[in-house]
Amino acid sequence: MGDTGIQDDWSTDSNEAVHVSLVTPGQTLHTFHPKFTYPIFGDEERIFGYQGLKINIKYHVCDMRPVVQITYNRKFKPVGETEPTDLKAILEDFLPKTAFEKTAVFDAAIADPSYTTWKPPGELWKTIQSGSQTLEVWKGSLADMAVQQMVKRMQILVPFFIEGGTMIELREPEWSLDRWTVFFLYQKNVVDVGSSSSPYTFMGYSTVYRYFLYQPIAPSGSAPAKKQPIHHEANLDFKLPLPEVPFSSLPCRSRISQFIILPPFQGGGSGSRFYNAIFDYFLKDPTTIEITVEDPNEAFDDLRDINDLARLRTVSKFSALRINKNSKPRSKGPVPRDIVDMDAMERIRSKMKIAPRQFARVTEMQLLSMIP
Ligand code: ACO
């Protein structure tokens, strides 16, 4: 048999081989496959050296404590330099060390009766009632060790579900980690009296970071600088002189970096509810000037457009917006001011903290939807 034959016989599709499960003591609630595994197993998304391979990443449904179970029917015997893929060595870069403990240790740990009173890390931001379902949104700083532990446990989900998504480097200094706010979405179940399980089911999470934002400052002794739209932004650059006030009190763009709803909970409106809860939080945050999104994909763009449009339509001036048909058509130059009242629009935009390009996009959706 040639090399190609060996490769075919002993090669497995890594998206098929990996199973992610959400479990409670003695019960598997949901199992699903990752969408992508190329950042972990290479561009071909194949694993060499096993037959009947199954890599089960089991997560305790509330605190996302993981355990990895690797099973197979046959393993390739090394020939020269041709060896089976070292799965543990590869996965160790994406999961905490404890994920490789014995399953019996994991089973005993998640059966601890203290889980009945377990609470997600951080603080409760919002409770959302959707029919008979109760959702809770928890939030905390990435500098908080309990939040960090959750992120460490589950951030393999980023390469699994966000194309081109990268995991957060958790070894940064505390002040730098504090730029990140992590939101967790949970379903809170009614549990039977006497049950030893937690009422919490993890559904998804999102990370948001503060993006430093320059504002014009008036020279001392002169009149305050005229308020202008802010266009300049810069990532924190360690070579810049650090401001004397804490970053958390400086004006910023709050940028949604990663946003994941686990597959069993997608398509039922949970992503929208979660997005709106995060938006509501930053609308209330006095230091956030704009809420932006880092590299949204098509699905997230849709979710964002639908929800931003619905939010803006609650503003009467926005929902009354119509194209002024008397305005003269022009082929080039800036948008004519007589099409819509641009100053009023800018006031709505900055009050709603929507970034200029996104606001223009949603405004266009509104105008087009109003053409009889
Ligand atoms: N009942 C039924 N369907 C509904 C309801 C409802 N009550 N509410 C909304 N929907 C529909 C929406 O109209 C939408 O339909 P469409 O798919 O035809 O456009 C669909 O359900 C999705 O909307 P939601 O349910 O609110 O969103 P969901 O919970 O599925 O989350 C998301 C969407 C975040 C993209 C999710 O699929 C996901 O996590 N995917 C994998 C990771 C990912 O792609 N994340 C975004 C990357 S970009 C970034 O991170 C910045």
Side-chain angles (χ1 to χ4, degrees):
M1 197 190 317
D3 269 3
T4 323
I6 290 179
Q7 292 291 345
D8 289 349
D9 286 355
W10 294 94
S11 164
T12 311
D13 179 328
S14 49
N15 292 342
E16 289 297 316
V18 175
H19 295 64
V20 181
S21 329
L22 297 181
V23 305
T24 55
Q27 211 187 346
T28 299
L29 302 178
H30 303 281
T31 300
F32 47 91
H33 292 286
K35 208 165 167 199
F36 314 102
T37 45
Y38 66 86
I40 301 171
F41 296 109
D43 287 350
E44 303 290 321
E45 299 194 314
R46 300 204 72 82
I47 299 170
F48 174 75
Y50 303 86
Q51 286 177 355
L53 176 66
K54 186 173 174 187
I55 302 168
N56 194 0
I57 304 174
K58 289 197 326 188
Y59 279 110
H60 185 209
V61 71
C62 59
D63 66 352
M64 294 299 275
R65 181 186 176 123
V67 72
V68 180
Q69 284 177 313
I70 300 175
T71 55
Y72 44 84
N73 300 331
R74 291 178 71 203
K75 188 172 178 180
F76 183 78
K77 288 207 177 66
V79 178
E81 287 185 359
T82 311
E83 290 184 23
T85 308
D86 186 344
L87 297 168
K88 184 167 174 267
I90 289 183
L91 288 167
E92 262 173 356
D93 287 343
F94 297 86
L95 285 162
K97 280 202 171 56
T98 47
F100 300 93
E101 67 194 357
K102 290 201 165 63
T103 306
V105 176
F106 171 84
D107 288 343
I110 68 168
D112 190 321
S114 66
Y115 273 116
T116 47
T117 54
W118 180 89
K119 295 245 183 307
E123 57 197 36
L124 178 64
W125 158 238
K126 215 163 220 184
T127 302
I128 306 163
Q129 200 62 40
S130 162
S132 59
Q133 200 186 37
T134 305
L135 303 179
E136 286 189 0
V137 177
W138 288 69
K139 66 143 266 282
S141 158
L142 194 53
D144 173 340
M145 292 308 285
V147 171
Q148 218 176 97
Q149 186 188 46
M150 278 284 280
V151 170
K152 202 184 234 173
R153 286 174 170 179
M154 66 196 181
Q155 67 170 347
I156 194 171
L157 298 170
V158 172
F160 277 173
F161 292 104
I162 302 181
E163 191 157 21
T166 47
M167 299 189 357
I168 301 173
E169 176 50 73
L170 294 171
R171 277 173 296 201
E172 303 244 332
E174 190 182 317
W175 69 264
S176 174
L177 291 176
D178 198 32
R179 292 168 62 208
W180 292 86
T181 305
V182 186
F183 291 85
F184 303 104
L185 179 67
Y186 276 95
Q187 182 177 313
K188 194 168 180 197
N189 311 298
V190 180
V191 287
D192 298 336
V193 182
S195 161
S196 62
S197 300
S198 160
Y200 286 101
T201 296
F202 176 85
M203 299 172 80
Y205 84 112
S206 179
T207 57
V208 182
Y209 69 96
R210 300 171 61 82
Y211 212 75
F212 190 62
L213 190 138
Y214 292 113
Q215 279 186 299
I217 299 169
S220 58
S222 66
K226 191 169 177 282
K227 218 174 163 210
Q228 294 168 8
I230 299 145
H231 295 299
H232 306 288
E233 63 184 43
N235 206 338
L236 285 178
D237 182 339
F238 296 102
K239 287 179 210 115
L240 284 175
L242 295 175
E244 280 158 20
V245 284
F247 281 115
S248 55
S249 66
L250 292 171
C252 70
R253 286 193 172 91
S254 289
R255 178 163 294 189
I256 298 175
S257 176
Q258 301 155 329
F259 188 103
I260 297 177
I261 300 293
L262 294 184
F265 312 108
Q266 291 173 3
S270 298
S272 299
R273 290 181 200 104
F274 191 36
Y275 172 76
N276 285 322
I278 294 172
F279 211 101
D280 289 344
Y281 177 79
F282 289 108
L283 264 185
K284 283 214 164 102
D285 169 31
T287 62
T288 296
I289 308 297
E290 267 171 25
I291 302 156
T292 62
V293 181
E294 182 179 3
D295 280 343
N297 59 14
E298 222 172 282
F300 195 84
D301 265 341
D302 287 350
L303 180 146
R304 186 186 187 195
D305 288 348
I306 291 169
N307 288 290
D308 286 356
L309 183 60
R311 182 178 290 274
L312 284 167
R313 279 180 174 166
T314 62
V315 180
S316 56
K317 262 214 161 117
F318 183 90
S319 59
L321 204 59
R322 301 287 182 276
I323 292 177
N324 176 4
K325 291 194 193 130
N326 299 324
S327 105
K328 291 193 191 82
R330 262 161 273 183
S331 57
K332 45 182 167 175
V335 179
R337 298 187 69 78
D338 53 352
I339 283 196
V340 291
D341 179 347
M342 299 293 267
D343 293 334
M345 285 299 104
E346 174 56 22
R347 279 195 295 277
I348 296 172
R349 186 199 72 72
S350 67
K351 184 163 176 247
M352 302 304 269
K353 301 191 180 178
I354 295 180
R357 216 168 68 182
Q358 174 65 4
F359 187 78
R361 187 177 154 108
V362 179
T363 303
E364 196 175 329
M365 287 168 70
Q366 168 69 6
L367 290 171
L368 292 174
S369 71
M370 288 301 152
I371 294 175

